[in-house]
Amino acid sequence: MIESPINEIDIVKAKTSKIEKVDFNNLAFGKTFTDHMFVCDFEDGKWQTPKIIPYQAMTIEPSARVFHYGQAVFEGMKAYKDENDRVFLFRPEDNHRRINKSAARMAIPEFPKDYFFKGLSELLNLDKDWIKPGIGNSLYLRPFVIATEPAISAAPSETYRFMIICSPAKAYYKGKVRVLFAEKFSRSADGGVGFAKAAGNYGAQFYPTSLAQKKGFQQIIWTDASTHEYLEEAGTMNIFFRIGNTLITAPNNDRILDGITRKSVIQLAKDLGIECEVRRVSVKEIRAAAQDGSLKEIFGAGTAAVISPISAFEHAGDVFEIDDIEESYASLFKQGILNIQHNEAEDLHGWRFEIK
Amino acid sequence: MIESPINEIDIVKAKTSKIEKVDFNNLAFGKTFTDHMFVCDFEDGKWQTPKIIPYQAMTIEPSARVFHYGQAVFEGMKAYKDENDRVFLFRPEDNHRRINKSAARMAIPEFPKDYFFKGLSELLNLDKDWIKPGIGNSLYLRPFVIATEPAISAAPSETYRFMIICSPAKAYYKGKVRVLFAEKFSRSADGGVGFAKAAGNYGAQFYPTSLAQKKGFQQIIWTDASTHEYLEEAGTMNIFFRIGNTLITAPNNDRILDGITRKSVIQLAKDLGIECEVRRVSVKEIRAAAQDGSLKEIFGAGTAAVISPISAFEHAGDVFEIDDIEESYASLFKQGILNIQHNEAEDLHGWRFEIK
């Protein structure tokens, strides 16, 4: 974490707002952007004065390293509004810490904490009308960093651009999700960049996921690349299994993202007296639990989807359906997290961060 | 490979050339670009009419998927000129085949062969003064594809841009290279995208490589992610070991790029009656050969570097120096390939491709 004295942010306001043209009841995820964006360039060895400008296309050299070497990292965050128009973020310090962890692994300079928070604050104050109150509504925030140096030797960039763009969001996945356990393709390896929100980790999943989708499964649960025997994460979500009344999720490692929703679920489980085991989970164990009826739930946890219940999994040609249950952990955690995010429940752990 | 009838290429010529400002004796790799570039957009489910325009910065949305999900692939090629100003490429059909193989793995639509070749031909005719004759001089060509759709859901793009930019080049690595055998970090996994020239594969190597460089080693030879016992490739080069008079290189697989220089070396070895084994190579074997004196050479093979002799390797804290030898295989193959590329040797295998 780099601390540095912040300069003022240069702000250029949009002359008119696009908000009237947006149908907030019919939002496709990640396709509509607010009136402003945050931009900060790294040049001459340091982050320059940040600015907020109207959301717009940008000019970049075709030789910019990001296009050739995928030197890019990002975060996913959300802003929420309560019924009194107060605006909140959820555990934003963790996003800042994580983007810098991702950046370090991708040889990108860390971004100063005060720039990050001042940028978010100014941006959300300008675009706060885009945050609609009510559970399920949010403003998805996408901080990201790209390598901009116009040079195509295989080496880290000398210049970067840090940006935050904002997109109004409804729930990410509608309804339940059917998943496939990976048997051939893999997402990451020990010693690799799987723990980082590095851009290339995501693009690499699109093809295997498209094959899964053709078979009727929306997502893949990735397994370890060496043996495909242990379940890891879903690429955009961490994964929880409920066997009996016990929750199980894989430990963080080189290959698995340290998800903020994941760790919130683990804490809420503790608060609620639900046993949660953080350990390796084998495909064999989950198949056996599905067969003997002790597998009660599988759900994904991530910022975009919050909690995403999984209704079936496929492995080795066998499809296992997971019946709906009343009072599911998935709905319990989803409601619990949403209530904290929207200032409708007590914030025992200091997760809410108000934007003033 | 998609065949499709080519439309004419729209060509806008640069009003003036930048070539007079370039010092061809002092070129940093990949920082100087020629007067023109090739651009072709994928929209409405198909590649549109290609164009060649003056080399310039471009406009792109900050939400373009390439910035967020690393959906991008590239190729590296070179154009050469002989003493009679004839211009040649080296095995360009393999580059076309490989960019489409990379594209398929990254869920990017394949690029038509006739567009690729017509584009290269028109571009090189326009910018042929940038190709200097003489062994060691070349014009490095960088075809690449980026995902341009302005949408940040984690899904493949609906729109893409294919481009070719050109950069005059001298030899990529100057002098000999010291390498480190990877023991902790890894480059790719079975079932992953290591075989593809996917952008993210390269950015992921920058941090481990920077650590190696601090220890005095310019490059890393990657080992298998599961055990770190087998030597794979160097990230921008394939790797050959010479034990006694036998050459050994790792087989292609999910993790190792199918290098064009690599397979040219294998063929030239056959032509010259040099035994070449394509098989797994263990760290243990190379350490033992270095200790008993039978390890005569290690060299990298890749388009940018052609052949890059390695003078030392480090593993588990031990540094093994490799003495210079006369009549090295490295210099033999380098000269052999350069002579074919520059039309100074017979082209037994039809590798030269003349641009007319």
Side-chain angles (χ1 to χ4, degrees), chain A residues 10 74 79 88 97-98 104 159 172 196 211 230 266 300 305 312 333 341:
Chain A
D10 292 336
F74 71 95
F88 299 93
R97 202 176 296 124
R98 193 170 61 184
T159 63
Y172 192 66
L211 297 182
Y230 294 93
I266 294 170
F333 291 123
Q341 289 171 335

Side-chain angles (χ1 to χ4, degrees), chain B residues 45 83 105 142 221 258-259 271 273 336:
Chain B
E83 296 302 329
R105 182 60 181 84
R142 171 55 59 90
I221 298 186
D258 180 14
D271 295 349

Side-chain angles (χ1 to χ4, degrees), chain B residues 223-234:
Chain B
T223 49
D224 68 292
S226 302
T227 68
H228 297 294
E229 284 175 18
Y230 294 94
L231 295 154
E232 305 210 314
E233 58 148 286

Side-chain angles (χ1 to χ4, degrees), chain A residues 30 33 55-56 58-60 62-63 68-69 74 105 142 144 151-152 154 172 184 186 190-191 199 202-204 207-208 226, chain B residues 30 33 55-56 58-60 62-63 68-69 105 142 144 151-152 154 172 184-186 190-191 199 202-204 207-208 226:
Chain A
F33 298 92
Y55 183 89
Q56 60 192 277
M58 63 183 173
T59 298
I60 186 166
S63 56
H68 304 272
Y69 304 125
F74 71 95
R105 182 61 182 84
R142 169 56 59 89
F144 65 107
I152 56 167
Y172 192 66
K184 179 183 162 215
S186 62
D190 281 328
Y202 294 78
Y207 173 68
S226 301
Chain B
F33 298 92
Y55 183 89
Q56 60 192 277
M58 62 183 174
T59 299
I60 187 166
S63 56
H68 304 271
Y69 303 126
R105 182 60 181 84
R142 171 55 59 90
F144 65 106
I152 56 167
Y172 192 67
K184 180 182 162 216
F185 291 105
S186 62
D190 282 328
Y202 295 77
Y207 173 68
S226 302

Side-chain angles (χ1 to χ4, degrees), chain B residues 6 14 42 52 70 95 162 172 180 219 222 257 264 314 323:
Chain B
I6 197 168
F42 184 89
I52 290 175
N95 296 103
F162 179 101
Y172 192 67
L180 186 148
Q219 296 266 306
W222 297 101
L257 188 80
S264 303
E314 192 265 8
D323 295 336

